């Protein structure tokens, strides 16, 4: 498959285009079905990682009969290497709120909640002020919808949508079984749309610039642009909005330090791409999807340390509810350590790879299921670094 | 009524007698008293009509809801790989040196606790430190003492 050329985009942070509240007004002039159709036709897929088509999610929620429905903004951003949601909420909070309001209108919801990770509590004050003004503007234009914030308490797993509901309901943040999906029974058991911060901004931008403009960007599988959080061995660390569908080689040409050995696409739960695969790997749903985390490593870095760091993260953040994930993460950490110190032979790595396959099948949620991604891509591509 | 009882009562009044209030109430107690004492958890259980075990079980899930004594100011240093690459250990060492305690410990005067945390969301500006809710990106080992003094 051919990749797109490297192209910068400025939809998310651009503030000259219009007032976010005017975009809500524009949506209110459309029918609810038209709003949903625009989002479906735009091809927009969730920016929080899983990539579910946003318009379809809204449609499911609209079709549910219920007096109470919720719109939730997932601002639990905890994937190592991601910081774009914080930046969006800091710089263009009104755009996020407008996306929530548009969704509320489309599905028929009166209550919106931003679940903000506790690590971002310093945003509470400014954000609450912005929300007060925005809620006021909404009532002035006649939309019966109000937004509030609920704070997290330092648990990565609460970014998983059903764990997030549990947490908001005052319980341990343990993921639920699915189905039922949130659009049927989410927060408080009511139909709920939960979207990532960035997804919500794009919905508002789609209403603003129109579906036709939006679909000019990206590929058939990955429409539009995306905000990338770039960190590691790069002279250009920070937030960059790029058209989707580019390949890792072009990304490295722009962001590498001339000595890039690997790029971890999608954070600890994503994949490690070694230099030899840069050219053929597309960043997007046809290749490697990412919530935005792009960690760049140069040849001075030990990939063993990188993997060990990710495993430690998973081991600490596993909710512990299911055995494959709870025990699996511990065994993987012990295992690579045993190989490194020579206590086990290098063949043991193959046994560990099989364990990650089991975890993928037997774990209940995305955390346990995705440990295999970084583990197998690092162990397979940097096997010698795991042993010597 | 003890201070803790009073505090829990106020928080429950504010958030409502409902299971959904449990996290905000616990967060409020931690904000004021820096951790959830047994007394606070029992009081919360009584106020929200839950079992104390349930309150403890919920609190123990969250890394920001401490069930053991903590200092007045919580210092968190990001330990994720990108902050490691930017030298977070120098920051930890500078703080340990200054406060004469190790990671996870609390100073004898109860002013500070040092902890390490998973990704704090400032990977482009590592190393990063949080003191309570305040964030210090690109923090330098030479500046750390000065920053901490401002919390004394
Ligand atoms: C372990 C885990 C952590 C997650 N963390 C987040 C997160 O921090 N932010 C987020 O938007 N989605 C996160 N997700 C994805 C959510 O479950 C959900 O798919 C997403 O919020 C839906 O929004 P979207 O369709 O707009 O991406 C996480 C998923 C898993 C399995
Ligand atoms: S896979 Fe891990 S994080 Fe997910 S439910 Fe199971 S134990 Fe919890």
């Amino acid at each position: 498959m051919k990749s797109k050329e490297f192209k910068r985009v400025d939809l998310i942070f651009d503030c000259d285009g219009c007032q976010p509240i005017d975009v809500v007004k524009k949506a209110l002039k459309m029918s609810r079905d038209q709003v949903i159709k625009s989002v479906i036709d735009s091809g927009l897929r969730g920016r929080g990682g899983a990539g579910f088509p946003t318009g379809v999610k809204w449609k499911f929620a609209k079709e549910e009969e219920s007096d109470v429905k919720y719109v939730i903004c997932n601002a639990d951003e905890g994937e190592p290497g991601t910081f774009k949601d914080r930046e969006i909420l800091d710089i263009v909070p009104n755009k996020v709120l407008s996306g929530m309001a548009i969704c509320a209108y489309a599905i028929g919801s009166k209550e919106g909640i931003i679940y903000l990770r506790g690590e971002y509590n310093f945003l509470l004050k400014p954000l609450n002020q912005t929300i007060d003004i925005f809620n006021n503007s909404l009532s002035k234009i006649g939309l019966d919808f109000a937004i509030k914030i609920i704070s997290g308490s330092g648990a990565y797993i609460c970014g998983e949508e059903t764990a997030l509901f549990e947490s908001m309901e005052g319980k341990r943040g343990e993921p639920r079984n699915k189905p039922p999906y949130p659009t049927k029974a989410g927060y408080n058991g009511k139909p709920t749309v939960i979207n990532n911060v960035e997804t919500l901004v794009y919905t508002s931008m789609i209403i603003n610039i129109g579906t036709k403009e939006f679909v000019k960007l990206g590929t058939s599988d990955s429409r539009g642009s995306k905000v990338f959080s770039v960190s590691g061995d790069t002279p250009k660390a920070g937030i960059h909005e790029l058209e989707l569908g580019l390949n890792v080689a072009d990304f490295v040409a722009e962001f590498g330090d001339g000595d890039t050995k690997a790029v971890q696409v999608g954070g600890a739960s994503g994949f490690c791409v070694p230099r030899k695969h840069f050219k053929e790997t597309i960043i997007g749903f046809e290749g490697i999807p990412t919530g935005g985390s792009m960690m760049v490593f140069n040849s001075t870095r030990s990939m063993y340390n990188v993997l060990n760091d990710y495993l430690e993260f998973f081991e600490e953040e596993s909710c512990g509810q299911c055995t494959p994930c709870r025990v699996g993460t511990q065994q993987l950490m012990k295992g690579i350590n045993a190989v490194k110190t020579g206590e086990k032979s290098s063949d043991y790595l193959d046994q560990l790879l099989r364990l990650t396959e089991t975890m993928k099948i037997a774990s209940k949620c995305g955390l346990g299921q995705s440990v295999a991604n970084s583990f197998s891509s690092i162990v397979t591509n940097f096997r010698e670094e795991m042993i010597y | 009524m003890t201070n803790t009882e009073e505090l829990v009562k106020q928080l429950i009044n504010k958030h409502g007698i409902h299971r959904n209030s449990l996290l905000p109430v616990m967060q409020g107690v931690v904000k004021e008293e820096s951790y959830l004492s047994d007394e606070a958890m029992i009081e919360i259980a009584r106020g929200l009509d839950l079992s104390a075990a349930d309150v403890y079980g919920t609190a123990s899930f969250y890394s920001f809801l401490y069930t053991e004594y903590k200092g007045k100011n919580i210092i968190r240093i990001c330990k994720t790989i990108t902050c490691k690459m930017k030298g977070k250990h120098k920051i930890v060492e500078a703080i340990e040196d200054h406060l004469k305690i190790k990671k996870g410990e609390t100073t004898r005067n109860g002013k500070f606790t040092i902890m390490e945390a998973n990704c704090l969301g400032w990977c482009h500006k590592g190393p990063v430190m949080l003191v309570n809710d305040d964030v210090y990106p690109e923090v330098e080992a030479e500046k750390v003492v000065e920053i901490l003094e401002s919390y004394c």
Side-chain angles (χ1 to χ4, degrees):
Chain A
M1 187 176 295
K2 226 177 108 41
S3 55
K4 299 281 278 191
E5 276 179 24
F6 182 93
K7 189 175 153 209
R8 287 184 182 276
V9 179
D10 191 13
L11 279 176
I12 297 274
F13 294 103
D14 168 56
C15 284
D16 299 333
C18 66
Q19 284 293 325
I21 194 77
D22 292 335
V23 186
V24 182
K25 276 193 210 157
K26 189 172 172 188
L28 293 183
K29 292 204 186 90
M30 301 161 70
S31 75
R32 296 165 65 191
D33 286 324
Q34 270 173 333
V35 171
I36 289 174
K37 185 168 184 308
S38 301
V39 181
I40 291 179
D41 291 348
S42 74
L44 176 67
R45 294 171 66 169
R47 299 295 195 239
F52 192 81
T54 306
V56 177
K57 191 185 277 189
W58 290 16
K59 183 165 175 279
F60 288 155
K62 177 184 180 252
E63 284 165 358
E64 290 296 324
E65 294 283 339
S66 175
D67 290 344
V68 181
K69 294 182 187 179
Y70 297 102
V71 176
I72 293 175
C73 169
N74 189 340
D76 196 48
E77 186 165 66
E79 187 63 52
T82 328
F83 42 94
K84 48 124 189 150
D85 292 339
R86 171 182 54 70
E87 207 96 340
I88 294 172
L89 284 167
D90 190 21
I91 300 172
V92 288
N94 276 305
K95 287 193 173 183
V96 182
L97 306 181
S98 71
M100 293 177 76
I102 293 166
C103 176
Y105 168 65
I107 69 163
S109 158
K110 294 190 176 71
E111 220 179 304
I113 298 158
I114 300 177
Y115 186 92
L116 185 72
R117 71 188 301 223
E119 290 83 344
Y120 292 170
N121 273 350
F122 52 86
L123 282 175
L124 277 173
K125 208 171 149 205
L127 204 50
N128 268 321
Q129 283 167 354
T130 309
I131 289 174
D132 281 347
I133 300 171
F134 193 84
N135 282 343
N136 233 322
S137 310
L138 286 181
S139 63
K140 274 193 199 127
I141 63 172
L143 185 68
D144 181 11
F145 178 65
I147 299 168
K148 66 172 184 181
I149 304 178
I150 289 185
S151 293
S153 266
Y156 164 72
I157 191 60
C158 289
E160 198 280 338
E161 52 197 18
T162 60
L164 187 146
F165 303 145
E166 291 288 303
S167 171
M168 295 205 307
E169 291 173 16
K171 299 176 217 152
R172 294 165 67 88
E174 292 173 350
R176 301 173 181 167
N177 283 319
K178 287 191 264 191
Y181 291 96
T183 47
K184 195 166 194 67
Y187 177 46
N188 289 338
K190 301 292 180 191
T192 304
V193 164
I194 175 163
N195 275 129
N196 174 255
V197 173
E198 182 187 348
T199 313
L200 289 162
V201 177
Y202 278 121
T203 60
S204 174
M205 292 304 99
I206 288 162
I207 299 298
N208 187 36
I209 64 172
T211 302
K212 269 211 195 86
E213 275 303 305
F214 190 79
V215 297
K216 284 183 190 160
L217 292 170
T219 65
S220 57
D221 269 350
S222 309
R223 280 281 166 238
S225 46
K226 163 108 200 62
V227 184
F228 290 91
S229 314
V230 185
S231 67
D233 295 311
T234 164
K236 296 180 183 167
I239 299 286
H240 302 272
E241 186 175 357
L242 307 174
E243 180 171 5
L244 279 170
L246 75 159
N247 66 40
V248 179
D250 290 342
F251 179 89
V252 168
E254 175 73 16
F255 296 106
D257 63 356
D259 183 28
T260 306
K261 145 163 112 172
V263 180
Q264 179 76 15
V265 181
S269 32
F271 291 85
C272 181
V273 184
R275 191 182 289 151
K276 62 175 188 275
H277 295 318
F278 283 173
K279 194 104 210 138
E280 74 219 38
T281 308
I282 295 180
I283 304 168
F285 296 105
E286 52 274 85
I288 301 184
T290 166
S293 172
M294 303 292 281
M295 294 181 179
V296 186
F297 300 109
N298 71 20
S299 65
T300 67
R301 305 297 172 186
S302 149
M303 297 312 286
Y304 172 85
N305 286 349
V306 172
L307 180 59
N308 192 56
D309 189 84
Y310 294 162
L311 291 174
E312 194 178 297
F313 169 77
F314 284 128
E315 196 227 338
E316 287 175 12
E317 299 293 345
S318 164
C319 83
Q321 195 183 176
C322 50
T323 315
C325 172
R326 184 185 65 245
V327 181
T329 49
Q330 292 166 1
Q331 291 307 318
L332 291 174
M333 247 183 86
K334 271 197 212 153
I336 62 163
N337 196 273
V339 171
K340 190 76 176 177
T341 55
E343 198 183 306
K344 294 266 184 201
S345 78
S346 61
D347 295 347
Y348 191 61
L349 289 172
D350 302 312
Q351 228 167 305
L352 295 176
L353 281 166
R354 281 199 296 279
L355 172 60
T356 63
E357 285 308 307
T358 307
M359 290 169 68
K360 204 194 241 169
I361 301 164
S363 295
K364 181 165 167 178
C365 87
L367 190 150
Q369 290 160 6
S370 62
V371 174
N373 299 348
S374 51
F375 191 89
S376 65
S377 56
I378 293 177
V379 167
T380 316
N381 291 304
F382 298 97
R383 198 177 167 99
E384 64 293 348
E385 289 192 38
M386 300 300 125
I387 304 167
Y388 304 108
Chain B
M1 228 188 243
T2 67
N3 289 345
T4 302
E5 281 172 359
E6 187 65 42
L7 174 66
V8 169
K9 202 171 144 216
Q10 275 172 14
L11 286 164
I12 291 177
N13 274 343
K14 178 173 168 201
H15 296 286
I17 303 178
H18 196 286
R19 174 81 197 217
N20 288 14
S21 307
L22 181 55
L23 257 70
V25 169
M26 292 199 289
Q27 287 165 345
V29 172
V30 170
K31 200 174 164 77
E32 290 304 316
E33 306 197 330
S34 81
Y35 82 113
L36 293 153
S37 59
D38 289 352
E39 184 193 0
M41 286 189 277
I42 290 167
E43 229 18 75
I44 294 171
R46 199 173 289 147
L48 292 179
D49 198 15
L50 300 166
S51 77
D54 201 352
V55 172
Y56 174 79
T58 309
S60 66
F61 185 85
Y62 294 93
S63 66
F64 284 18
L65 300 176
Y66 322 105
T67 50
E68 272 156 37
Y69 175 74
K70 288 282 175 292
K72 197 166 162 9
N73 299 293
I74 308 272
I75 306 166
R76 284 194 194 88
I77 294 130
C78 178
K79 65 169 171 134
T80 297
I81 186 79
T82 36
C83 277
K84 269 186 198 139
M85 286 157 62
K86 293 272 160 36
K88 71 101 196 168
H89 63 278
K90 284 200 203 120
I91 310 300
V92 176
E93 278 166 20
I95 299 176
E96 287 180 338
D97 260 10
H98 177 62
L99 298 178
K100 310 274 182 291
I101 50 170
K102 296 273 165 218
K103 282 182 294 201
E105 294 176 353
T106 301
T107 52
R108 208 176 274 201
N109 63 8
K111 280 208 173 126
F112 292 100
T113 299
I114 318 178
M115 287 188 227
E116 286 193 329
N118 283 323
C119 191
L120 293 174
W122 291 88
C123 323
H124 58 322
K125 291 192 175 162
V128 61
M129 166 172 92
L130 274 182
V131 182
N132 309 328
D133 289 346
D134 308 329
V135 59
Y136 297 93
E138 289 179 321
V139 60
E140 293 164 41
E142 298 75 35
K143 298 269 168 66
V144 157
V145 173
E146 206 179 303
I147 295 172
L148 296 187
E149 291 291 325
S150 70
Y151 289 86
C152 282

